[in-house]
Amino acid sequence: MPAVIEPPRPADIVEYHRQLAPADREICELLATAIERGLPEARSKVWHAHPVWFLEGNPIVGYDRLKDAVRLMFWSGQSFDAEGLAASGSFKAAEARYTDVVDVDVDAVTAWLSAAREIQWDYEHIRTNRGLVKRTDF
C-alpha cells in the first residue's frame, strides 16, 4: 500500500504550536492531525490569533489555548447530533476542552468533523446576512 502524503501544515500554525508549552503542543498537534485527516479539503490558517480550518471560506473548526485548557471549537457544533460538545457563545458554536492529550477522544473528534462538513451555518457572510443563516441543508 502506498504511503499517504499529507500536505505541509501552514507555517503560521507551526509557529502557533512552537510557542505552546509541551503538554499543550501535544494536544494541539493531535487535534491538527485529526482535523487535517478528517477535513483534507479544508484550508487552514491562524485567524483571530488561533488555528482555524475553513471550507469554501466558512470557518468550521479551530482550537486555542485558554488559561486552563485547550479548547476545540466547532462553529456550527450546537446543531450536531453528537455528545461531548458544550454550547459556546451566543451563536451556534460548541466546544470541547482538554487538559491532557489522553483526554482527546480522536473517534469523537472524527465524528464531529464529519458532522461539521454536513452541518454548517454561514459565518462567512454573517454581516451581510445580518445574522446567521443555514449554509447547508440539515
Side-chain angles (χ1 to χ4, degrees):
M1 176 183 269
V4 175
I5 299 173
E6 295 183 19
R9 189 165 290 151
D12 56 351
I13 293 176
V14 171
E15 179 61 19
Y16 179 92
H17 288 186
R18 189 186 69 71
Q19 295 179 24
L20 296 171
D24 297 330
R25 185 179 314 121
E26 191 175 7
I27 295 168
C28 290
E29 288 287 340
L30 180 59
L31 293 173
T33 299
I35 294 166
E36 290 162 354
R37 289 182 180 159
L39 294 174
E41 71 277 28
R43 299 211 181 264
S44 59
K45 64 182 177 182
V46 171
W47 186 58
H48 296 286
H50 62 276
V52 176
W53 280 256
F54 299 81
L55 291 176
E56 298 177 6
N58 200 39
I60 302 299
V61 62
Y63 52 80
D64 62 328
R65 176 68 177 112
L66 302 175
K67 186 176 184 180
D68 61 345
V70 172
R71 172 178 53 184
L72 174 66
M73 189 173 82
F74 289 89
W75 268 253
S76 301
Q78 288 184 36
S79 297
F80 300 172
D81 184 22
E83 296 199 15
L85 292 173
S88 177
S90 58
F91 291 108
K92 300 292 183 182
E95 66 180 43
R97 293 186 182 201
Y98 306 104
T99 56
D100 193 295
V101 72
V102 300
D103 297 334
V104 179
D105 179 345
V106 175
D107 291 336
V109 172
T110 301
W112 299 333
L113 291 166
S114 180
R117 179 184 285 110
E118 302 299 321
I119 300 170
Q120 294 179 41
W121 288 88
D122 191 351
Y123 283 89
E124 180 184 18
H125 301 106
I126 195 169
R127 286 190 181 129
T128 57
N129 291 335
R130 297 190 178 156
L132 279 179
V133 297
K134 289 181 180 178
R135 188 171 177 126
T136 57
D137 292 325
F138 55 93

